[in-house]
């Protein structure tokens, strides 16, 4: 019996690892997420009953490790070499001429061209197919042991071959050491930064430093939360079984074992074709999903490459065909400050115009005010500016040696540049905010938020019309929307009878929107749709909410001291008080009745998170359905989440729910549960 269970356990580990690989490396899953969950849950159940069976190659062990004190040192089995650079085709040809003189075989050599990813070089050790150790490059001889962090990288196989049925490799070395580049894809980097920005947290500078920093810190949970992946390109060492002797076959071999390998590499019989191929990427580098600073041209025959030896740390058998740098120096003429929808202030560098990779750059981001301080960036400085991929150019830092003494230290504004109100800082965040709801720079964004689908849902009021209304002086705050009349509208360009009537009709309808929606529409810092619902149920109307004290607000689940303060602060401002009065006078003062406020039903006490597209419910429908049954909907998955409602193309919430063991149901399951 136990034997049978043990073999099922082995089978499950292999299956889950295989489906992980199909999903993350091949991008070609063959089972549904629900089926995957079933396998994972079965595996977890066995592990819970038999903790002594758990082995490090179990997919449940990817993020289980604890924070460590420091990294141990690892001696590499062979030198982890670097690459010499070629800047352009002439340099590459000169390299070829040089090595041709050293060995006759070079004349007829083939070449492999690969991307040169700008990431962190890592070295992975496998013993009897098990991933046992991973290290940084370090000084090329000794690196740091970052095994527990690397284990959290889903594209790194924990056991090879991942798919033993498909792999053409029959016997794997007893000890196999491979090398590759760990990195964060550009898109993932951008969405990571967007999330951090929305949370008022520090954003990251660039994908490379973020990947390197996340792998070289002591908490594996943090690494697991960063979208790191890797591509493998070299066998550093192998024992106990033969491995291929050409670079092209090495890539095939690694792929067959289940390692992530680039799919844009190609083999050529002539250097000129290899150069031409590398050049096509120079032009199209923005289309690559990761940051690449060049292509690598490698002699395919690895024994020839080895015989050519190396110069210092650079092997003669390969060359980095570098793309022109996208870092330039220019003068920082000034710093201006932009005001976003939530009032967040972002410093922006005004630069002396400079060309970077075919684009004229006049502005670059400076991230936040702390960044300017930390890097000691001064106005008048020569600064190093980088443009990478499609990411907005950013200032790397000052060229301190170029200072003349005339540079001026920058002081962040104490007042909002658009409205003159004092700026504010929230505990625990790096951002500074303008909290004046009537700030003109925020007004457009505020009105846009107020009328959007998730809040007051005023149909027919797009951004263009919002701008027109503000420009004409008809709307100075969101309450002015409710006193617009036909005569005013007809004076605007593009407005005829019908259009004006339709718009006034939808504005009239919005007066009847629920209290939840109105609270969410106000755009109070930290108050999204979920919290707006909680506030509406607790207070029943805006007048009661506006009198709530900080400690009282904190009694509500999910409201911490910062949000409580932000709510109380918003209502204490005279401009906002005036706004509420105007709304009330215009007939916008929704009440939530006592019986509505305490909904009891099949879902009472349960918390739901919805992800992906559901077959018949829209997001709002699903929310309403859950709330009507007494349940609560939140945005993020935690241990407290009772159910994840799963639709098509789910986001990262799905992964999180799986890792926390949260129950997962589909729309039909949700409906059944309500009965
Ligand atoms: S080959 C003998 N191939 O670039 C092997 N390196 O500037 C020498 N890199 O330290 C390295 N992609 O971290 C090689 N496809 C690739 C690469 C690559 C990125 C990095 C690697 C190396 C650095 C040299």
């Amino acid at each position: 019996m136990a034997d049978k269970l043990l073999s099922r356990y082995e089978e499950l580990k292999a299956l889950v690892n295989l489906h992980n690989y199909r999903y993350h490396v091949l991008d070609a899953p063959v089972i549904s997420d629900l089926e995957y969950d079933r396998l994972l849950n079965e595996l977890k159940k066995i592990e819970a009953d038999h903790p002594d069976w758990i082995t490090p190659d179990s997919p449940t062990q990817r993020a289980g490790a604890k924070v460590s004190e420091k990294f141990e040192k690892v001696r590499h089995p062979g030198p982890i070499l670097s690459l010499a650079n070629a800047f352009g085709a002439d340099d590459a040809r000169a390299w070829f001429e040089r090595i041709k003189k050293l060995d006759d075989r070079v004349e007829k050599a083939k070449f492999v061209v690969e991307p040169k990813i700008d990431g962190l070089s890592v070295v992975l050790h496998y013993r009897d197919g098990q991933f046992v150790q991973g290290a940084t490059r370090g000084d090329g001889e000794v690196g740091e042991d970052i095994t527990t962090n690397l284990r959290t990288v889903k594209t790194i196989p924990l056991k090879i071959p991942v798919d033993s049925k498909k792999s053409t490799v029959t016997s794997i070395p007893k000890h196999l050491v491979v090398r590759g580049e760990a990195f964060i894809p550009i898109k993932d980097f951008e969405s990571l930064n967007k999330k951090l920005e929305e949370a008022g947290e520090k954003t990251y500078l660039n994908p490379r430093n973020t990947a390197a920093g996340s792998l070289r810190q002591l908490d594996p949970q943090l690494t697991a939360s960063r979208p790191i992946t890797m591509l493998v390109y070299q066998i550093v060492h192998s024992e106990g079984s033969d491995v291929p002797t050409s670079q092209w076959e090495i890539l095939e071999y690694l792929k067959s074992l289940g390692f992530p390998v680039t799919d844009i590499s190609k083999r050529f019989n002539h250097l000129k074709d290899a150069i031409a191929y590398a050049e096509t990427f120079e032009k199209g580098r923005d289309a690559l999903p990761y940051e690449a600073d060049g292509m690598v041209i490698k002699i395919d025959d690895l024994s020839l490459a080895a015989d050519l030896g190396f110069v210092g740390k650079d092997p003669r058998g390969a060359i980095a065909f570098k793309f022109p740098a996208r870092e330039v120096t220019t003068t920082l003429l000034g710093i201006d400050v932009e005001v976003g929808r939530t009032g967040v202030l972002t410093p922006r560098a005004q630069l002396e115009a400079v060309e970077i990779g075919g684009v004229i750059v006049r502005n670059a981001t400076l991230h936040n005010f702390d960044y300017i301080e930390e890097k000691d960036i001064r106005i008048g400085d020569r600064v190093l500016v980088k443009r990478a991929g499609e990411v907005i150019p950013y200032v790397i830092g000052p060229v301190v040696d170029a200072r003349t003494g005339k540079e001026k230290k920058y002081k962040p504004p104490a007042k909002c540049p658009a409205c003159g109100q004092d700026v504010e800082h929230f505990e625990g965040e790096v951002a500074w905010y303008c909290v004046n709801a009537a700030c003109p720079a925020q007004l457009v964004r505020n009105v846009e938020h107020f009328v959007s689908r998730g809040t007051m849902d005023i149909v027919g009021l797009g951004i263009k019309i919002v701008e027109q209304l503000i420009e004409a002086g008809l709307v100075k705050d969101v309450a002015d929307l409710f006193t617009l009349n036909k005569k005013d509208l007809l004076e605007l360009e593009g407005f005829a009878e019908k259009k004006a009537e339709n718009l006034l009709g939808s504005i009239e309808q919005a007066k009847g929107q629920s209290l939840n929606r109105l609270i969410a529409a106000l755009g109070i810092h930290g108050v999204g749709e979920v919290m707006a619902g909680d506030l509406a149920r607790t207070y029943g109307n805006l007048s009661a909410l506006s009198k709530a004290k900080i400690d009282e607000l904190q009694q509500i689940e999910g409201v911490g001291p910062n949000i409580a303060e932000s709510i109380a602060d918003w209502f204490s401002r005279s401009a906002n008080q005036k706004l509420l009065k105007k709304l009330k006078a215009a007939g916008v003062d929704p009440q939530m009745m006592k019986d509505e406020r305490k909904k009891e039903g099949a879902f009472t006490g349960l918390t739901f998170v919805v992800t992906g597209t559901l077959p018949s419910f829209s997001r709002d429908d699903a929310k309403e359905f859950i709330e009507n049954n007494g349940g609560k909907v939140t945005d993020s998955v935690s241990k407290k989440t009772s159910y994840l409602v799963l639709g098509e193309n789910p986001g990262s919430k799905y992964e999180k729910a799986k890792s926390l063991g949260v129950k997962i149901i589909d729309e039909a399951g949700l409906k059944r549960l309500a009965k």
Side-chain angles (χ1 to χ4, degrees):
M1 184 64 195
D3 269 6
K4 225 171 145 192
L5 195 64
L6 188 58
S7 68
R8 175 65 181 158
Y9 175 58
E10 293 298 333
E11 185 184 22
L12 282 167
K13 280 195 299 186
L15 274 173
V16 175
N17 274 330
L18 174 64
H19 292 301
N20 255 333
Y21 162 70
R22 290 211 163 121
Y23 186 92
H24 292 286
V25 180
L26 300 183
D27 211 6
V30 290
I31 59 170
S32 73
D33 293 347
L34 277 166
E35 286 167 292
Y36 174 89
D37 278 346
R38 269 191 215 124
L39 294 175
L40 188 64
N41 285 337
E42 190 184 342
L43 178 75
K44 279 189 184 155
K45 173 143 196 331
I46 298 179
E47 289 188 343
D49 294 341
H50 301 275
D52 51 318
W53 288 0
I54 304 174
T55 51
D57 66 353
S58 167
T60 60
Q61 300 304 296
R62 283 203 184 260
K66 290 198 188 65
V67 177
S68 55
E69 301 280 301
K70 68 174 180 59
F71 298 120
E72 299 296 328
K73 296 272 181 264
V74 186
R75 181 161 288 281
H76 301 307
I80 301 302
L81 298 171
S82 186
L83 286 170
N85 291 329
F87 299 98
D90 285 349
D91 271 8
R93 282 189 287 265
W95 160 70
F96 184 51
E97 292 306 319
R98 273 198 310 276
I99 56 173
K100 242 190 332 201
K101 288 191 194 117
L102 299 175
D103 197 312
D104 293 342
R105 290 174 292 169
V106 173
E107 181 79 53
K108 293 215 164 62
K110 291 183 180 143
F111 303 90
V112 173
V113 180
E114 298 168 15
K116 182 168 165 353
I117 298 167
D118 202 4
L120 181 79
S121 210
V122 297
V123 179
L124 310 172
H125 292 243
Y126 290 81
R127 287 199 186 267
D128 295 319
Q130 303 270 352
F131 173 60
V132 289
Q133 191 170 50
T136 61
R137 175 173 187 269
D139 62 6
E141 278 168 25
V142 177
E144 283 174 325
D145 185 335
I146 52 165
T147 313
T148 47
N149 288 345
L150 287 171
R151 227 176 244 297
T152 70
V153 175
K154 295 209 181 62
T155 44
I156 294 181
L158 297 177
K159 192 175 178 197
I160 48 166
V162 179
D163 190 347
S164 47
K165 287 204 193 90
K166 292 245 171 73
S167 179
T168 51
V169 181
T170 45
S171 120
I172 34 168
K174 278 201 84 52
H175 186 197
L176 178 72
V177 184
V178 302
R179 173 188 181 182
E181 204 79 356
F183 61 95
I184 295 182
I186 294 174
K187 282 233 153 43
D188 295 330
F189 175 74
E190 284 170 350
S191 43
L192 172 66
N193 259 356
K194 205 162 156 225
K195 263 192 239 149
L196 292 170
E197 194 180 320
E198 277 164 12
E201 286 176 39
K202 234 182 200 166
T203 51
Y204 285 107
L205 212 52
N206 62 50
R208 205 209 94 85
N209 290 3
T210 313
S214 310
L215 284 169
R216 294 194 60 258
Q217 54 77 46
L218 297 161
D219 178 5
Q221 306 282 350
L222 191 135
T223 318
S225 72
R226 298 290 178 247
I228 298 172
T229 184
M230 130 161 237
L231 287 173
V232 170
Y233 53 75
Q234 192 194 354
I235 291 181
V236 176
H237 177 80
S238 72
E239 258 172 57
S241 179
D242 287 340
V243 295
T245 55
S246 81
Q247 177 62 14
W248 184 250
E249 285 161 349
I250 289 281
L251 294 177
E252 294 285 308
Y253 176 86
L254 291 170
K255 203 186 291 177
S256 172
L257 286 175
F259 285 102
V261 176
T262 170
D263 53 10
I264 62 163
S265 60
K266 269 196 176 169
R267 181 160 62 171
F268 297 95
N269 290 330
H270 303 286
L271 182 71
K272 69 171 181 12
D273 299 326
I275 292 176
Y277 187 61
E279 280 173 336
T280 60
F281 284 97
E282 183 174 323
K283 288 181 201 91
R285 68 198 272 194
D286 284 345
L288 291 172
Y290 37 72
E291 283 198 344
D293 55 348
M295 300 296 280
V296 189
I297 303 179
K298 297 179 178 175
I299 296 265
D300 188 36
D301 177 346
L302 292 176
S303 73
L304 168 57
D307 289 348
L308 286 168
F310 37 89
V311 185
K313 286 201 162 115
D314 305 333
R316 286 202 183 87
I319 192 110
F321 186 88
K322 295 276 281 194
F323 297 151
R326 281 180 165 179
E327 282 176 27
V328 296
T329 58
T330 184
T331 305
L332 178 65
L333 302 173
I335 294 174
D336 56 20
V337 176
E338 290 185 322
V339 187
R341 176 182 82 73
T342 55
V344 64
L345 305 181
T346 314
R348 197 171 67 141
Q350 295 169 351
L351 304 168
E352 191 174 55
V354 62
E355 194 234 275
I356 317 181
V359 173
I360 303 287
V361 174
R362 289 191 175 81
N363 299 105
T365 177
L366 282 158
H367 301 282
N368 54 57
F369 298 111
D370 282 6
Y371 183 73
I372 302 175
E373 170 91 24
E374 273 164 27
K375 298 266 169 182
D376 187 20
I377 297 168
R378 304 182 191 177
I379 294 173
D381 259 337
R382 289 297 289 178
V383 285
L384 196 60
V385 179
K386 179 162 181 163
R387 186 174 85 84
E390 283 160 52
V391 187
I392 312 163
Y394 66 93
V395 176
I396 298 174
V399 184
V400 177
D401 287 344
R403 284 204 173 133
T404 62
K406 288 201 184 121
E407 298 75 14
K408 290 206 174 62
K409 279 226 174 218
Y410 173 75
K411 247 183 84 190
K415 296 193 183 307
C416 168
C419 72
Q421 280 237 356
D422 289 352
V423 301
E424 295 206 7
H425 192 239
F426 296 98
E427 187 75 32
E429 296 189 9
V430 285
W432 285 83
Y433 292 88
C434 167
V435 291
N436 172 16
C439 168
Q442 289 176 60
L443 189 56
V444 177
R445 305 260 164 268
N446 258 322
V447 177
E448 220 184 335
H449 173 70
F450 189 84
V451 305
S452 65
R453 267 185 65 190
T455 60
M456 298 299 272
D457 195 15
I458 304 183
V459 184
L461 197 47
I463 173 89
K464 282 257 151 57
I465 302 177
V466 170
E467 280 170 353
Q468 259 183 311
L469 292 169
I470 292 172
E471 222 163 84
L474 292 172
V475 168
K476 295 201 176 65
D477 60 36
V478 293
D480 288 340
L481 290 170
F482 298 100
T483 50
L484 285 172
N485 59 44
K486 201 156 135 191
K487 191 172 147 281
D488 289 338
L489 291 181
L490 287 176
E491 277 172 27
L492 299 177
E493 205 189 306
F495 268 89
E497 288 278 325
K498 190 87 196 128
K499 189 167 168 183
E501 274 166 20
N502 286 348
L503 181 55
L504 290 173
S506 42
I507 291 175
E508 191 56 34
Q509 230 175 5
K511 287 185 183 169
Q513 285 292 17
S514 64
L515 181 62
N516 314 11
R517 280 176 174 265
L518 179 59
I519 295 173
L522 296 174
I524 302 168
H525 181 70
V527 179
E529 284 174 49
V530 177
M531 191 158 301
D534 289 340
L535 293 172
R537 272 185 292 282
T538 311
Y539 293 98
N541 59 51
L542 278 184
S543 154
L545 174 59
S546 71
K547 294 188 195 91
K549 299 272 176 304
I550 295 181
D551 50 352
E552 193 185 303
L553 286 162
Q554 278 193 66
Q555 304 300 315
I556 302 171
E557 202 198 313
V559 180
N562 296 345
I563 294 177
E565 199 185 319
S566 137
I567 298 170
D569 183 72
W570 194 92
F571 284 101
S572 73
R573 294 179 172 273
S574 61
N576 296 335
Q577 288 284 352
K578 217 171 94 194
L579 178 75
L580 296 181
K581 268 203 199 109
K582 273 172 79 175
L583 283 170
K584 195 170 175 177
V588 185
D589 187 21
Q591 306 285 319
M592 196 180 245
M593 296 305 152
K594 270 240 155 54
D595 55 337
E596 264 185 290
R597 288 163 63 184
K598 283 209 189 66
K599 266 205 173 118
E600 293 279 334
F603 296 169
T604 304
L606 299 179
T607 311
F608 295 78
V609 173
V610 184
T611 183
T613 313
L614 301 179
S616 74
F617 277 162
S618 71
R619 269 304 157 84
D620 288 342
D621 293 341
K623 191 163 175 273
E624 208 171 312
F625 180 78
I626 292 166
E627 286 175 353
N628 283 342
N629 281 289
K632 203 175 142 185
V633 182
T634 62
D635 284 333
S636 55
V637 177
S638 75
K639 272 191 226 135
K640 287 191 198 143
T641 309
S642 321
Y643 288 95
L644 180 85
V645 184
L646 183 67
E648 263 193 60
N649 300 320
S652 59
K653 290 173 192 169
Y654 175 49
E655 290 293 323
K656 177 113 188 256
K658 279 197 293 193
S659 70
L660 292 174
V662 169
K663 280 179 253 169
I664 299 176
I665 50 174
D666 57 8
E667 184 184 297
L670 179 74
K671 288 178 180 162
R672 275 198 301 276
L673 204 64
K675 281 184 188 145

